[in-house]
Amino acid sequence: MDNKASWREHPVWLRFLNKPMAERLTSPLEAARSEAEFFSDSESGGCGQKPFFSFVLDESLGESYILKEGSERQIVIRGGKTGILYGTYEAIFDLILKKSLPEGVQTPKYSLRMLDSWDNPEGTVERGYSGRSLWFEGGSFSYDPDRICQLGRMLASVGINVLCINNVNADASARPLIGDLLPEVAKFADILRPFGVRLMLSVDFSSPMFLSEKKSLTGMDVQNYAFCRAADPLTTADPLDEDVRCWWKERAAVIYQAVPDLAGFLVKADSEHRPGPATYGRNHAEGANMLAEALAPFGGILVWRAFVYNCRQDWRDTKTDRPCAAYDLYHPLDGKFAENVILQVKNGPYDFQVREPVSPVLTGMGSTKMAVELQLAQEYTGHQIDLYSMPPVWREIFRDLKNEKITAIAGVSNLGRDANWTGHPFASLNLFAFGKYAWDPYRDPEQVIREWILLNGYREEEGVMELLLQSSSVYEKYTSPLGLCWMVNPGEHYGPSPWGYEFQAWGTYNRADRNCVGIDRTAAGTGFTKQYPPEIAERYEDSAACPDEYLLFFHRLPYTFRMRDGRTLIQRIYDDHFEGYEETLRMQKLLSGIHLPESDRAEAEERMRKQVMNAREWCDVINTFFYRLSGIPDEKGRKIYD
Amino acid sequence: MDNKASWREHPVWLRFLNKPMAERLTSPLEAARSEAEFFSDSESGGCGQKPFFSFVLDESLGESYILKEGSERQIVIRGGKTGILYGTYEAIFDLILKKSLPEGVQTPKYSLRMLDSWDNPEGTVERGYSGRSLWFEGGSFSYDPDRICQLGRMLASVGINVLCINNVNADASARPLIGDLLPEVAKFADILRPFGVRLMLSVDFSSPMFLSEKKSLTGMDVQNYAFCRAADPLTTADPLDEDVRCWWKERAAVIYQAVPDLAGFLVKADSEHRPGPATYGRNHAEGANMLAEALAPFGGILVWRAFVYNCRQDWRDTKTDRPCAAYDLYHPLDGKFAENVILQVKNGPYDFQVREPVSPVLTGMGSTKMAVELQLAQEYTGHQIDLYSMPPVWREIFRDLKNEKITAIAGVSNLGRDANWTGHPFASLNLFAFGKYAWDPYRDPEQVIREWILLNGYREEEGVMELLLQSSSVYEKYTSPLGLCWMVNPGEHYGPSPWGYEFQAWGTYNRADRNCVGIDRTAAGTGFTKQYPPEIAERYEDSAACPDEYLLFFHRLPYTFRMRDGRTLIQRIYDDHFEGYEETLRMQKLLSGIHLPESDRAEAEERMRKQVMNAREWCDVINTFFYRLSGIPDEKGRKIYD
């Protein structure tokens, strides 16, 4: 168990949140009053005269709110059940930031704003870089209730309204969450409820074959439920099988008895060896709709992940192109999903690579509700060792996502039991910004970063801003410029291995040789561009017009290819890597000159030391890789190892 | 726990060993009588008239024996304490094999013939491909005594006289073996003692810092030992520290009270992050001698592993060459080791790669007792999925090892809890042959393989012989011909990844580029050849004279280099890989036509199916790798993927 003093010193943002909640709250309105009182009492704002808040609950407003400023720092917050809490945080933020209050009704762009935790009941976090799970250990729940309460406040303060508490790779260890552990799930939900945060559970599609009713109901009051079948596990998970459908309906009833406001289920099916409907010759709409039907009576939603591809591809097969996989699978199913199904689609067609175009599933499914899935956990973006701030990247992504059918947003959590919650003290920016973008995806990145800096109370705003604003483009330069993907160490996904994935079964190739690099994904190549609407396709189709940062994602080009700025492709590769490394050195110098709280400084500087080593390794390995292949020296005569 | 019937059906060799020992034996002589009786009673030999054995114990003969045949199948076995048992097995084998008995005194070449088990107390086996540990589980001992008795018989039947029971990577989990678990170690030793098999323990050099006397002596009778210091762990493991020296002396006394005939300690120090004397600025002789001094009063020996190199090498550094590391470290210490120290040296200078020249440590330390270490576990040679019989390889190795100071031999065990003991039913050949080579390292490989086939009772001798005899050269062809090393998947060490290790810190590079491949290790290059005696050095120094199989181990050459047979280097690489794959297909066909016992057949055919896939993968990946780099097509127009 973590030391309270230790984590209390590290609020993700907003130092006033250090003050623990005095009492057990029962509603967002109570939470709002409590936060307003804390804030008024604190010096955090440094605003001189204490503000005075008054609250008008208007259930019809739901998650929305309206802020009005009266005379003498009086603020009236009118809002719906959770809107009133969101409005309170907005008011507090604006006071601290010395911004004027927003005009009119404030409503979130996406109704489902979910943080997906890849936490396993045994306490590990898949792709977690901030320590062990905040709530799991040893196969069950284990947490500090005060810290979970703090978590609820942090999530609510940026408008996140759903927390999926377990890994999408829901294996045997996750099954008790919809069985024996339901009373524990219910207790956990109770802590987060006053902050407007509902739980979601990742479920194993094959659960009916492993979870027997009798065994799983221990400790539950189930006398009100009549069961239509025996207590033994089923021999199938076929979504069209009547027993299976009945099993899930009963299961949902039991689950909702324990957690009446559960948001629903999240399912990773037929993906990377997870079970799914394909086993039974059923399509993904049939699989999803079966679960959605079970959830519908309780208002639950079924979130179905679209991260499906052939993970046993033969590298010799150049016809199969992994980025095409999800669209090929889901586009024919557009319009076939039930009302309460949301298809959750990663932002890019691959897997959270440093640079990917937006997934064509997101732009091509006009009759399907969708969630866009972002990854706050820095799996491919530096493991929360290297600085990588996401808002500038997200701006690019949301530019292409005007689709009305995107009703939800999910972010893979970067939280863990580290005292400072996110490993790198600056990594919490991405969680903060995720909430902000979930509310309004067209925000200016610089403004969001600045708000986080100021709310954190960092005194040297401009230095931290400079570091954060450039961090993602610097990282891209020293790792994977021009849309090159997958040159990471396999499995670990930190550090360079230009051909570590080249001959593997994951569909992850750069196909570099002594003359060329990249894959032709145009209409003349694998045809991937044809999955986009014309206005997007035409941006990428022609190598002469394709934006540099996507060039090698869409095109196979010789090293001597002339870029628009006159440089050759190989020279641009060398330049970017050298520059990325040099910029990292400059970032290190910049960081060392910034005054930060002592604990943040030590952590940030130690991580920056590792980032510099990592940047050097990437720069040298990738340059050597292409030099060994091409034999073309750097025009500027910098050292490339042979 | 394993099912007895199941493993009894799979003796490693010699079907007559299936019959369980009737009683608890107390000496090798009793074991000899018992085995002779079993054999006489069995039909295994199919020799018609029952043989009659008589025994003459002559302690002066030690491990040696003399066999004499009298009239009417009477055999007189004269031997020392364990020699009499070895002579019995020899007589039985010769009868089965219809060979005449050997003339004169039979004496093993190496006095210490050790099987090194990389078993961890928690039950895993590092680089084990035959299931979990035969004797460890859950942090302690857990075994079927009958199976351990069977193991003792198998080891004795080929003259193995020491079993190191735990992983050389002896971490915290191994410390109880010289502490709380000593009574269990003693019980285990009791089972193996009648077969002349003594135990050895891998110990953690830093043990004095972690193991307190008080805690570790639970259950031990230590009243006869006066301790010179307090019960708390020490704060150092410095081998020149008086408290440390005293700690180990006391510890040895306690250990030898429990196991009076313990062979000694095996130590991996200052190697791959294991602790060692370097931490304290002491050299390896000081480290080894300190432990040797503690063991000396009890007749124990200290085996010190020479597998030491910089495992944090920078790939940019072309001056440092890992194969040079051990000689550079140990040669200056030649003559500095105590009488009861044995330096255990892997056969090659790298790490059990498919083809390595003999380690220069073995040929260059005239005043140091040494053990040559072989690896029966198929870490780099196919994981006991791919067929790989070792006798032909060992013949090459021992050709260069006439050094009188090599007094011992160690083999990394390929055993585990699989019913058939070695995963692949044919993999037991390597254990059998290891014992045979430990007794006489100049044996003819074909003869050893034939003996194993016949003792196994395989009816189709020639088919199995053909498979086994060619297996290592076929494997070499489709994986790593010409002395290429390390093109395996990192960590796992199965399957190809030509640059998976290229930019890592392990000193494992091929430095291929668009023109050349290999590392110049001649006098003009890294100077590795200078570590050899002239007669060996001159064999490798000149690329025109260097044997093909070592060519790229010693030389950096252009793809257009002309081999002696007129082919270019690149063509030879292509040819070997294509041929290796084709030969694997022929082996598959050959195997399917051989009549084997049902359980062996199913296992062997399933593994062969995987081997064929593996061979195809190696062939295509390596050919594509070199084709992408060189751009030179196959002269024979075979398919190379691009």
Side-chain angles (χ1 to χ4, degrees):
Chain A
M1 192 54 60
D2 16 52
N3 179 287
K4 261 180 221 198
S6 163
W7 65 258
R8 278 252 169 71
E9 281 171 14
H10 293 276
V12 169
W13 49 85
L14 276 184
R15 306 257 158 204
F16 91 87
L17 283 176
N18 282 3
K19 198 166 169 183
M21 281 282 173
E23 61 206 313
R24 189 50 76 92
L25 305 162
T26 60
S27 73
L29 175 58
E30 277 185 24
R33 285 191 200 281
S34 181
E35 293 291 31
E37 198 177 308
F38 286 166
F39 177 69
S40 293
D41 290 350
S42 79
E43 297 306 305
S44 308
C47 319
Q49 193 188 350
K50 281 190 182 178
F52 177 76
F53 297 88
S54 62
F55 302 89
V56 181
L57 185 64
D58 176 352
E59 296 270 4
S60 74
L61 282 170
E63 296 196 310
S64 304
Y65 59 84
I66 304 161
L67 301 182
K68 286 232 163 59
E69 196 159 4
S71 56
E72 302 193 349
R73 292 178 65 79
Q74 184 175 353
I75 295 170
V76 181
I77 301 161
R78 172 187 291 272
K81 192 181 166 203
T82 51
I84 203 153
L85 178 57
Y86 298 145
T88 303
Y89 282 116
E90 165 87 53
I92 291 170
F93 286 10
D94 290 346
L95 284 169
I96 296 172
L97 300 171
K98 301 187 173 61
K99 278 170 60 179
S100 53
L101 299 179
E103 307 239 326
V105 182
Q106 303 301 309
T107 300
K109 163 79 173 173
Y110 302 120
S111 56
L112 176 69
R113 303 174 302 281
M114 175 161 67
L115 193 68
D116 284 358
S117 309
W118 287 359
D119 294 30
N120 300 308
E122 61 265 32
T124 53
V125 180
E126 186 171 330
R127 307 303 177 187
Y129 310 106
S130 314
R132 295 179 71 82
S133 171
L134 277 163
W135 48 81
F136 288 136
E137 194 58 63
S140 185
F141 284 86
S142 170
Y143 54 83
D144 173 355
D146 283 352
R147 193 165 191 185
I148 302 307
C149 176
Q150 170 83 297
L151 172 66
R153 295 163 75 189
M154 294 191 310
L155 299 182
S157 77
V158 290
I160 295 169
N161 64 0
V162 171
L163 177 68
C164 182
I165 60 171
N166 66 306
N167 192 350
V168 288
N169 287 312
D171 62 9
S173 73
R175 287 188 206 119
L177 293 172
I178 56 167
D180 289 348
L181 287 175
L182 271 173
E184 296 297 319
V185 176
K187 275 187 223 162
F188 192 77
D190 289 346
I191 303 178
L192 293 170
R193 189 171 292 110
F195 307 103
V197 177
R198 297 157 73 200
L199 301 191
M200 178 159 284
L201 295 170
S202 294
V203 302
D204 170 6
F205 194 81
S206 66
S207 296
M209 299 171 66
F210 297 97
L211 204 61
S212 85
E213 290 294 342
K214 208 181 251 164
K215 201 173 157 210
S216 65
L217 293 179
T218 314
M220 290 292 301
D221 170 20
V222 290
Q223 49 203 3
N224 296 326
Y225 293 93
F227 290 96
C228 59
R229 42 161 223 88
D232 289 332
L234 304 182
T235 56
T236 177
D238 181 352
L240 299 195
D241 182 278
E242 266 314 308
D243 281 348
V244 172
R245 302 175 78 86
C246 179
W247 189 96
W248 280 110
K249 283 176 191 170
E250 290 168 7
R251 180 57 42 181
V254 171
I255 293 166
Y256 276 87
Q257 190 185 31
V259 188
D261 62 349
L262 187 82
F265 293 161
L266 174 63
V267 183
K268 176 175 178 178
D270 289 328
S271 167
E272 295 179 338
H273 315 296
R274 301 303 310 146
T279 308
Y280 310 100
R282 312 303 181 189
N283 69 36
H284 279 215
E286 289 167 326
N289 293 347
M290 178 272 292
L291 291 168
E293 187 186 353
L295 293 168
F298 312 98
I301 55 164
L302 191 279
V303 182
W304 189 264
R305 275 178 106 234
F307 181 57
V308 180
Y309 66 98
N310 176 10
C311 66
R312 291 185 170 172
Q313 185 177 335
D314 190 328
W315 59 270
R316 303 166 190 81
D317 167 14
T318 53
K319 297 276 179 294
T320 302
D321 186 21
R322 174 167 157 184
C324 298
Y327 184 91
D328 285 346
L329 178 65
Y330 290 103
H331 189 252
L333 299 176
D334 192 23
K336 302 263 168 61
F337 290 95
E339 265 304 296
N340 61 331
V341 171
I342 293 177
L343 193 63
Q344 182 167 308
V345 187
K346 292 189 181 190
N347 62 279
Y350 249 147
D351 182 16
F352 300 134
Q353 297 301 290
V354 172
R355 178 72 66 165
E356 296 187 46
V358 88
S359 167
V361 178
L362 290 167
T363 58
M365 301 272 285
S367 306
T368 301
K369 285 183 188 159
M370 284 182 293
V372 57
E373 180 179 325
L374 305 171
Q375 192 184 37
L376 318 185
Q378 290 175 225
E379 178 177 359
Y380 297 96
T381 50
H383 282 205
Q384 286 145 244
I385 297 167
D386 299 27
L387 265 185
Y388 190 89
S389 102
M390 301 182 178
V393 182
W394 291 341
R395 177 178 51 186
E396 294 289 312
I397 291 168
F398 286 107
R399 195 185 53 179
D400 283 334
L401 294 184
K402 308 272 180 183
N403 190 317
E404 289 305 303
K405 277 291 175 183
I406 297 179
T407 60
I409 183 166
V412 179
S413 171
N414 59 356
L415 294 172
R417 213 171 273 222
D418 280 357
N420 70 6
W421 302 78
T422 52
H424 198 302
F426 293 176
S428 77
L429 161 68
N430 294 325
L431 178 61
F432 174 85
F434 170 70
K436 292 294 179 183
Y437 276 84
W439 195 278
D440 171 9
Y442 310 113
R443 282 177 192 266
D444 171 52
E446 188 168 337
Q447 188 194 325
V448 172
I449 297 174
R450 190 175 304 280
E451 287 179 9
W452 175 85
I453 292 172
L454 293 172
L455 293 172
N456 248 305
Y458 286 142
R459 279 188 277 163
E460 295 183 52
E461 187 182 335
E462 292 314 318
V464 180
M465 173 62 93
E466 192 182 335
L467 274 175
L468 291 172
L469 203 55
Q470 68 182 304
S471 60
S472 62
S473 67
V474 170
Y475 186 86
E476 183 172 8
K477 273 187 172 181
Y478 66 72
T479 61
S480 327
L482 303 165
L484 277 169
C485 297
W486 295 111
M487 288 193 161
V488 288
N489 277 310
E492 184 190 9
H493 300 169
Y494 188 81
S497 181
W499 270 352
Y501 270 120
E502 189 64 13
F503 302 103
Q504 303 290 319
W506 301 97
T508 48
Y509 317 114
N510 53 55
R511 304 201 187 275
D513 66 19
R514 72 203 312 265
N515 303 311
C516 298
V517 58
I519 291 168
D520 181 1
R521 295 201 161 102
T522 66
T526 69
F528 172 66
T529 52
K530 292 191 285 185
Q531 296 186 342
Y532 285 107
E535 66 276 16
I536 297 181
E538 70 193 12
R539 195 190 305 157
Y540 300 128
E541 185 70 14
D542 176 8
S543 63
C546 180
D548 288 354
E549 60 269 31
Y550 297 102
L551 195 60
L552 293 175
F553 192 98
F554 285 99
H555 299 279
R556 178 168 182 81
L557 297 170
Y559 298 118
T560 51
F561 176 83
R562 283 283 159 197
M563 312 280 293
R564 276 184 297 275
D565 65 8
R567 285 184 285 180
T568 59
L569 178 69
I570 187 77
Q571 190 57 39
R572 169 66 189 269
I573 290 174
Y574 295 154
D575 286 349
D576 272 15
H577 284 90
F578 282 121
E579 286 167 20
Y581 174 50
E582 282 154 21
E583 284 162 16
T584 307
L585 289 172
R586 277 198 293 278
M587 282 168 68
Q588 185 176 38
K589 201 169 167 198
L590 180 59
L591 178 67
S592 72
I594 294 174
H595 182 272
L596 293 174
E598 187 50 32
S599 56
D600 285 3
R601 191 195 58 74
E603 197 68 55
E605 290 195 352
E606 172 56 18
R607 285 172 194 249
M608 179 58 84
R609 194 185 60 76
K610 292 181 181 163
Q611 175 170 1
V612 165
M613 287 182 358
N614 189 40
R616 179 172 179 233
E617 200 63 16
W618 272 98
C619 170
D620 286 344
V621 168
I622 301 299
N623 282 346
T624 293
F625 173 78
F626 283 112
Y627 176 67
R628 287 192 189 179
L629 281 163
S630 70
I632 301 173
D634 174 44
E635 285 174 5
K636 298 179 186 166
R638 290 162 294 194
K639 176 71 180 170
I640 296 180
Y641 296 84
D642 51 17
Chain B
M1 191 56 57
D2 16 53
N3 178 286
K4 261 180 220 198
S6 165
W7 64 258
R8 277 253 168 70
E9 280 171 13
H10 293 277
V12 169
W13 49 85
L14 277 184
R15 306 257 157 205
F16 90 89
L17 284 176
N18 282 3
K19 198 165 167 182
M21 280 284 173
E23 59 206 314
R24 189 50 74 95
L25 305 164
T26 60
S27 71
L29 175 58
E30 277 185 25
R33 285 190 200 281
S34 181
E35 292 293 31
E37 198 175 308
F38 286 168
F39 178 69
S40 293
D41 289 351
S42 80
E43 296 305 306
S44 307
C47 320
Q49 192 189 348
K50 280 189 184 180
F52 177 77
F53 297 89
S54 62
F55 300 90
V56 182
L57 186 64
D58 176 351
E59 296 271 3
S60 74
L61 282 170
E63 296 197 311
S64 303
Y65 59 84
I66 304 160
L67 300 181
K68 286 233 159 61
E69 196 159 7
S71 55
E72 301 192 351
R73 291 178 68 76
Q74 185 176 350
I75 293 171
V76 181
I77 300 162
R78 173 186 290 271
K81 192 180 167 206
T82 52
I84 204 153
L85 178 58
Y86 297 146
T88 303
Y89 282 116
E90 165 86 55
I92 291 170
F93 284 13
D94 291 345
L95 285 168
I96 295 171
L97 300 169
K98 301 187 173 62
K99 278 171 61 180
S100 54
L101 299 178
E103 306 240 326
V105 182
Q106 303 300 310
T107 301
K109 164 79 174 173
Y110 302 119
S111 56
L112 176 70
R113 303 175 301 282
M114 176 161 67
L115 193 68
D116 285 357
S117 308
W118 288 358
D119 294 30
N120 300 308
E122 61 265 32
T124 54
V125 180
E126 185 171 329
R127 308 303 176 187
Y129 310 106
S130 313
R132 294 179 70 82
S133 171
L134 277 163
W135 49 81
F136 288 136
E137 194 59 64
S140 184
F141 284 86
S142 170
Y143 54 83
D144 173 354
D146 284 353
R147 194 165 190 184
I148 302 306
C149 176
Q150 171 83 300
L151 171 67
R153 295 164 75 189
M154 295 191 308
L155 299 182
S157 77
V158 290
I160 294 169
N161 64 0
V162 170
L163 177 69
C164 182
I165 60 171
N166 66 306
N167 192 350
V168 289
N169 286 313
D171 61 9
S173 74
R175 288 189 204 118
L177 293 173
I178 56 167
D180 290 347
L181 287 175
L182 272 172
E184 295 298 318
V185 176
K187 276 187 222 162
F188 193 75
D190 289 345
I191 303 178
L192 294 171
R193 189 172 291 111
F195 306 105
V197 177
R198 298 157 73 200
L199 301 191
M200 179 159 283
L201 295 171
S202 294
V203 301
D204 170 6
F205 195 80
S206 66
S207 295
M209 299 171 67
F210 297 97
L211 206 61
S212 86
E213 289 294 343
K214 212 181 249 165
K215 200 173 158 209
S216 66
L217 293 178
T218 313
M220 290 293 302
D221 170 19
V222 289
Q223 48 205 1
N224 296 326
Y225 292 93
F227 290 96
C228 60
R229 43 165 221 86
D232 290 332
L234 304 183
T235 56
T236 177
D238 181 352
L240 299 195
D241 181 279
E242 266 314 308
D243 281 348
V244 171
R245 302 175 77 87
C246 179
W247 189 96
W248 279 110
K249 283 177 190 168
E250 290 168 5
R251 180 58 41 181
V254 172
I255 294 167
Y256 275 88
Q257 190 184 31
V259 188
D261 62 349
L262 187 83
F265 293 162
L266 174 63
V267 183
K268 176 175 178 178
D270 290 328
S271 166
E272 295 178 338
H273 315 297
R274 301 301 312 145
T279 308
Y280 310 99
R282 313 303 182 189
N283 70 37
H284 279 216
E286 289 167 326
N289 292 348
M290 178 272 292
L291 291 168
E293 187 186 350
L295 294 168
F298 311 98
I301 55 164
L302 190 280
V303 182
W304 189 265
R305 277 177 106 233
F307 182 57
V308 181
Y309 66 98
N310 177 10
C311 66
R312 291 183 169 174
Q313 186 177 336
D314 190 327
W315 59 270
R316 302 166 190 82
D317 167 14
T318 54
K319 297 276 181 291
T320 302
D321 187 19
R322 173 168 157 183
C324 299
Y327 184 90
D328 285 345
L329 178 66
Y330 290 104
H331 189 252
L333 298 176
D334 192 21
K336 302 261 167 63
F337 290 96
E339 266 304 297
N340 62 331
V341 171
I342 293 177
L343 193 65
Q344 182 166 307
V345 187
K346 292 190 180 189
N347 62 279
Y350 250 146
D351 181 15
F352 301 134
Q353 297 301 288
V354 173
R355 177 73 66 164
E356 295 187 46
V358 87
S359 168
V361 178
L362 290 167
T363 58
M365 302 272 285
S367 304
T368 302
K369 285 184 187 158
M370 284 182 293
V372 58
E373 180 179 325
L374 306 171
Q375 191 184 39
L376 318 184
Q378 290 174 229
E379 178 177 358
Y380 297 96
T381 51
H383 283 205
Q384 285 144 244
I385 296 166
D386 298 28
L387 264 185
Y388 190 89
S389 103
M390 300 183 179
V393 181
W394 291 342
R395 177 177 51 186
E396 294 289 312
I397 291 167
F398 287 107
R399 196 185 52 178
D400 283 333
L401 295 183
K402 307 273 179 182
N403 187 318
E404 288 306 303
K405 278 292 175 181
I406 297 179
T407 60
I409 184 167
V412 180
S413 170
N414 59 356
L415 293 171
R417 213 171 272 220
D418 279 358
N420 71 5
W421 303 77
T422 51
H424 198 302
F426 293 176
S428 77
L429 161 66
N430 293 325
L431 178 61
F432 174 85
F434 171 70
K436 292 293 179 184
Y437 276 84
W439 195 277
D440 172 9
Y442 311 113
R443 283 176 190 268
D444 172 52
E446 189 167 339
Q447 188 193 325
V448 172
I449 298 173
R450 190 174 305 279
E451 287 179 9
W452 175 84
I453 293 172
L454 294 171
L455 292 172
N456 246 306
Y458 286 142
R459 279 187 277 164
E460 294 183 54
E461 186 183 335
E462 292 313 319
V464 181
M465 174 61 93
E466 192 182 333
L467 274 176
L468 290 173
L469 204 55
Q470 69 183 305
S471 59
S472 61
S473 66
V474 170
Y475 186 85
E476 184 172 8
K477 272 187 173 181
Y478 64 73
T479 60
S480 329
L482 303 165
L484 278 169
C485 297
W486 296 111
M487 288 193 160
V488 288
N489 278 309
E492 185 190 8
H493 300 169
Y494 188 81
S497 180
W499 270 351
Y501 269 121
E502 188 65 12
F503 302 102
Q504 303 290 319
W506 301 97
T508 48
Y509 316 115
N510 54 56
R511 303 200 186 275
D513 66 20
R514 72 204 311 265
N515 303 310
C516 300
V517 59
I519 290 169
D520 181 0
R521 296 199 160 103
T522 66
T526 70
F528 172 66
T529 52
K530 292 192 285 185
Q531 296 186 341
Y532 285 107
E535 68 275 15
I536 298 181
E538 70 192 12
R539 195 189 305 155
Y540 300 128
E541 185 69 15
D542 176 9
S543 63
C546 180
D548 288 353
E549 60 269 32
Y550 296 101
L551 195 59
L552 293 175
F553 192 97
F554 285 99
H555 299 279
R556 178 167 182 80
L557 297 170
Y559 298 119
T560 52
F561 174 83
R562 282 286 158 198
M563 311 280 294
R564 276 184 296 274
D565 65 7
R567 285 184 285 179
T568 58
L569 177 69
I570 188 75
Q571 190 57 39
R572 168 68 189 269
I573 290 173
Y574 295 155
D575 286 351
D576 272 16
H577 284 91
F578 282 122
E579 286 167 19
Y581 173 49
E582 282 155 19
E583 284 162 17
T584 308
L585 290 172
R586 277 198 293 278
M587 282 169 67
Q588 183 176 39
K589 201 168 169 199
L590 180 59
L591 177 68
S592 73
I594 294 172
H595 182 272
L596 293 174
E598 187 51 31
S599 57
D600 286 2
R601 191 194 59 73
E603 196 69 55
E605 290 195 352
E606 171 57 15
R607 285 171 194 251
M608 180 59 84
R609 194 184 60 76
K610 292 180 182 164
Q611 175 171 3
V612 166
M613 287 185 354
N614 189 40
R616 176 169 182 236
E617 200 63 15
W618 272 98
C619 169
D620 285 344
V621 169
I622 302 298
N623 283 346
T624 293
F625 173 77
F626 283 112
Y627 176 67
R628 286 193 189 178
L629 280 164
S630 70
I632 301 172
D634 174 43
E635 283 174 5
K636 299 179 184 165
R638 291 162 293 194
K639 176 72 180 169
I640 296 181
Y641 296 84
D642 51 18

